Amino acid sequence: MAACNSDKSNKVNFETEIQELPETVIGKEGLTKKILQKGNSWKTPLPGDEIQVHYSVKLEDGEIFDSSHDKGKPFEFKLGQGEVIKGWDEGIATMKRSERAIFIIPPNLAYGETGSPPLIPPNSTLVFDIELVSWNSVRDITGDGGILKKIIKEGEGWATPKDVDEALVKYVASSADGKTLSRSDDGVEFSLLDDYLCPAMKKSVKTMRKGEIAELTVKPTYCFDGVENGMQPNLNLNIHLELISWKTVVDVTGDKKVLKKLIKVGEGYDRPNEGSLVKVVYIGKLQDGTVFDRKGSDDEPLEYACLEGKFSESLDRAIMTMRKGEEAIVTISSDYCQVEEVSTADFVVYEIKLVDFNKFLDSYRRNHFGRWTQKRKLKHVIKLRTKEMYYSKMASFNVHQGSMTRNALKFIQFDHSFNDNEKCQSNTLRFSCYLNNAACKLKIADHQEASKLCSKVIEYDPCNVKALFRRAQAYLRINELEKAEIDIRKALKLDPNNRDVKLVYKELKAKQKQYTQHEVEIFSTMLSRLA
């Protein structure tokens, strides 16, 4: 009798303690939560995850009538899929691993007006004691149920592979009826640019972290015919996938035509900039492995300044993404290769090591160029400008964008030590650099910047026909027809026989006529509506 009274006393005390716990309101439909035991993680489950919980349940003023502890194993369900009452889907989504909480679930989030006879009467409020044991994350990668990923083992860190990286994976692909179709137990490396095995592979790998193991359920729409050999039609494909590691690849030009694959991580965080003096060792190969170029060694690396025209700009741009001591493989599409580098190959490959570098305008570079004579500086600017004009005619021009003329301006733009004759030559070269750069901007459709560069020349030389002509071209492209006409008329007055200016004038007249016709059509439509 004393033991019975003791049990009742403990029960009363426990319920009193629960009542004193802080209460959290979840949502706007009356669901409340009181935490009995805090979780051991910061993560909470997401819709689609496979959940394992222990629970007990009672009516608001009744005794416990169901418990998973009596069954000897946790209850399992998929969160947010309508497999349990709405109060569970909403409440358990707020829980952390190993957390235990009391949920008071109103009828509208439980069994409603009908209840669940004989245990749950209509309009019953239920009290659940729930412990979130664990869960397996399941993600709908494509958003249409085409690829479902269930995480078996969490990966390390937070990083995931990017679109152009190269991944090393182990996998076993099998049909829904259990037949193994393809496997790689030793690991296989592939580029995420390619659809290796099936599209689901690269889509899934890009969501994984290093060391993560996942089970994929793939619908036929995300499979290749080759993978489906031996599969019955309309059956899903199952893939057991492990991401071992990946190699970081940088899309240097943003169009996947110049790719840098990291082989050895460099030191620190600093990288070369335009004009930096770099020391490199590299080997250039065609796609069949034939070596066509080799420069420098560890003892005597090649030394040159970035983006000053010694090599193709695409190679320089790749080197400017590297750190000191970094080793990388750079793949350059034939679109961005100079003629001497490639003939019939689709791409070339450079194995590069950045031994060291000095950033442009650091103390070494200031002293180095500070010793140059004014005459040598002017000759260097002429050389850079000439090379820019040469490169602008090449197919790979769109990665240059006037970088050499911008670099050339650094040597003369703010130098106040020139004599009168050198100042005159410097100004001529400066205007030429502006106009070259404007031509570059026109070619890549940066018309606003092209007009600004031409305006700098016209400010000092209002009668510069070439500047008026190129600014008129820029105005035409952005439909500033009145401004374009002013520049063209002035250019024709200065040089009446200039064929290029006449052609632009003809283009202007055609645009003006087209614009006038368009206005007439709009006016006619308005009149017809008014009538």
Side-chain angles (χ1 to χ4, degrees):
M1 189 71 176
C4 183
N5 289 334
S6 176
D7 289 343
K8 287 182 179 179
S9 176
N10 289 337
K11 182 179 178 181
V12 170
N13 289 338
F14 180 66
E15 289 183 353
T16 301
E17 288 176 7
I18 290 175
Q19 289 175 359
E20 293 175 353
L21 288 172
E23 184 176 85
T24 303
V25 178
I26 300 171
K28 297 179 179 180
E29 298 186 65
L31 175 64
T32 62
K33 171 186 175 182
K34 294 183 177 183
I35 297 176
L36 300 177
Q37 174 183 299
K38 291 184 178 181
N40 56 17
S41 167
W42 57 269
K43 293 182 180 180
T44 56
L46 296 172
D49 288 351
E50 294 181 351
I51 309 293
Q52 298 91 42
V53 297
H54 270 304
Y55 75 91
S56 59
V57 58
K58 65 175 186 173
L59 298 176
E60 195 170 22
D61 298 319
E63 299 291 327
I64 292 173
F65 60 82
D66 188 21
S67 173
S68 63
H69 297 280
D70 296 338
K71 301 178 179 66
K73 63 177 183 178
F75 177 74
E76 298 184 3
F77 70 100
K78 287 184 179 178
L79 186 67
Q81 307 301 305
E83 295 183 1
V84 292
I85 59 175
K86 191 176 179 182
W88 268 43
D89 275 339
E90 291 185 6
I92 292 174
T94 69
M95 299 183 74
K96 301 175 176 64
R97 197 181 303 272
S98 297
E99 181 181 317
R100 183 182 167 202
I102 298 292
F103 289 95
I104 299 176
I105 303 179
N108 54 304
L109 297 179
Y111 294 93
E113 296 177 355
T114 57
S116 182
L119 296 175
I120 304 174
N123 295 313
S124 294
T125 295
L126 302 178
V127 179
F128 280 92
D129 181 344
I130 300 176
E131 179 187 358
L132 179 55
V133 178
S134 185
W135 75 83
N136 292 318
S137 295
V138 178
R139 299 288 177 269
D140 183 354
I141 293 175
T142 55
D144 60 0
I147 305 173
L148 297 178
K149 185 186 81 168
K150 175 181 174 181
I151 298 175
I152 306 301
K153 178 188 172 186
E154 293 280 356
E156 306 169 13
W158 55 268
T160 56
K162 301 297 183 290
D163 289 346
V164 294
D165 290 346
E166 293 187 0
L168 177 63
V169 302
K170 290 182 181 178
Y171 72 90
V172 178
S174 56
S175 58
D177 56 6
K179 182 180 178 181
T180 299
L181 304 174
S182 178
R183 66 188 301 146
S184 176
D185 297 326
D186 297 326
V188 61
E189 190 173 53
F190 68 98
S191 171
L192 296 183
L193 287 171
D194 303 327
D195 283 325
Y196 177 79
L197 187 69
C198 67
M201 284 284 278
K202 74 174 184 182
K203 288 181 179 293
S204 303
V205 166
K206 285 189 285 188
T207 70
M208 299 175 72
R209 295 176 290 156
K210 183 179 179 181
E212 183 177 318
I213 299 175
E215 295 280 357
L216 307 179
T217 303
V218 185
K219 286 186 176 178
T221 50
Y222 290 93
C223 299
F224 286 136
D225 291 339
V227 177
E228 292 178 355
N229 284 339
M231 290 177 62
Q232 295 180 23
N234 301 320
L235 283 184
N236 291 338
L237 175 70
N238 296 322
I239 304 176
H240 181 87
L241 182 63
E242 178 182 357
L243 176 59
I244 301 170
S245 63
W246 71 87
K247 291 176 182 174
T248 301
V249 178
V250 177
D251 184 358
V252 177
T253 52
D255 56 6
K256 300 181 177 63
K257 292 188 176 181
V258 181
L259 301 175
K260 186 202 77 173
K261 179 169 68 175
L262 183 66
I263 302 301
K264 180 184 175 184
V265 177
E267 305 170 14
Y269 298 96
D270 212 4
R271 296 178 174 88
N273 61 351
E274 184 176 336
S276 290
L277 199 65
V278 297
K279 295 180 180 180
V280 297
V281 179
Y282 75 76
I283 300 172
K285 297 180 180 179
L286 300 178
Q287 62 193 85
D288 62 1
T290 303
V291 175
F292 68 86
D293 195 10
R294 188 189 299 265
K295 291 286 192 301
S297 65
D298 287 336
D299 295 329
E300 291 187 35
L302 171 69
E303 186 174 2
Y304 74 98
C306 285
L307 294 180
E308 290 191 358
K310 190 172 182 66
F311 302 107
S312 66
E313 183 169 349
S314 49
L315 181 59
D316 276 0
R317 293 285 180 193
I319 290 172
M320 287 165 62
T321 68
M322 299 175 70
R323 299 170 182 170
K324 180 181 176 181
E326 182 177 321
E327 296 179 20
I329 293 176
V330 177
T331 303
I332 302 177
S333 166
S334 58
D335 295 346
Y336 287 169
C337 290
Q338 293 181 16
V339 177
E340 60 266 30
E341 291 175 349
V342 59
S343 53
T344 58
D346 294 328
F347 60 86
V348 294
V349 176
Y350 288 92
E351 298 172 5
I352 303 176
K353 179 180 180 180
L354 178 58
V355 179
D356 200 359
F357 68 91
N358 287 286
K359 294 196 80 165
F360 184 71
L361 292 182
D362 64 14
S363 59
Y364 175 86
R365 292 288 283 170
R366 282 200 300 269
N367 292 335
H368 180 62
F369 287 111
R371 292 194 296 267
W372 281 20
T373 64
Q374 309 310 316
K375 186 176 180 181
R376 188 178 178 190
K377 286 182 182 180
L378 293 170
K379 284 181 68 175
H380 185 66
V381 172
I382 293 170
K383 180 182 176 183
L384 290 178
R385 187 194 55 155
T386 305
K387 284 191 175 182
E388 183 73 79
M389 292 172 70
Y390 164 73
Y391 283 124
S392 68
K393 298 173 184 176
M394 298 176 59
S396 60
F397 171 77
N398 59 331
V399 296
H400 290 268
Q401 300 180 8
S403 61
M404 291 180 200
T405 50
R406 289 198 306 273
N407 203 14
L409 282 167
K410 293 175 184 177
F411 290 91
I412 58 174
Q413 194 167 7
F414 303 108
D415 196 319
H416 303 292
S417 58
F418 292 119
N419 59 36
D420 290 342
N421 185 43
E422 288 167 344
K423 279 182 181 177
C424 182
Q425 190 178 359
S426 170
N427 282 334
T428 302
L429 285 171
R430 186 152 56 93
F431 298 154
S432 179
C433 287
Y434 284 143
L435 291 173
N436 277 2
N437 207 354
C440 295
K441 296 302 181 184
L442 285 171
K443 208 159 188 178
I444 62 170
D446 190 353
H447 304 117
Q448 293 282 6
E449 189 61 28
S451 65
K452 289 178 184 177
L453 289 164
C454 292
S455 295
K456 287 182 179 181
V457 178
I458 294 168
E459 183 182 348
Y460 287 95
D461 182 8
C463 296
N464 191 303
V465 174
K466 188 176 286 188
L468 291 165
F469 163 67
R470 288 190 177 156
R471 191 168 72 171
Q473 283 184 302
Y475 285 152
L476 267 179
R477 301 297 177 269
I478 56 177
N479 292 319
E480 294 274 5
L481 303 187
E482 291 181 3
K483 291 181 179 179
E485 185 171 14
I486 292 170
D487 281 350
I488 292 171
R489 287 186 179 278
K490 189 171 183 179
L492 282 173
K493 188 176 180 180
L494 292 166
D495 187 1
N497 298 318
N498 191 307
R499 182 175 174 274
D500 291 332
V501 178
K502 285 181 177 179
L503 288 173
V504 173
Y505 185 58
K506 187 176 180 181
E507 183 183 348
L508 170 69
K509 287 300 179 185
K511 273 204 168 189
Q512 287 175 331
K513 184 178 179 181
Q514 185 181 4
Y515 183 70
T516 302
Q517 288 175 344
H518 180 63
E519 282 188 321
V520 169
E521 288 173 6
I522 292 174
F523 188 65
S524 299
T525 304
M526 289 174 63
L527 286 176
S528 63
R529 286 179 179 176
L530 288 170

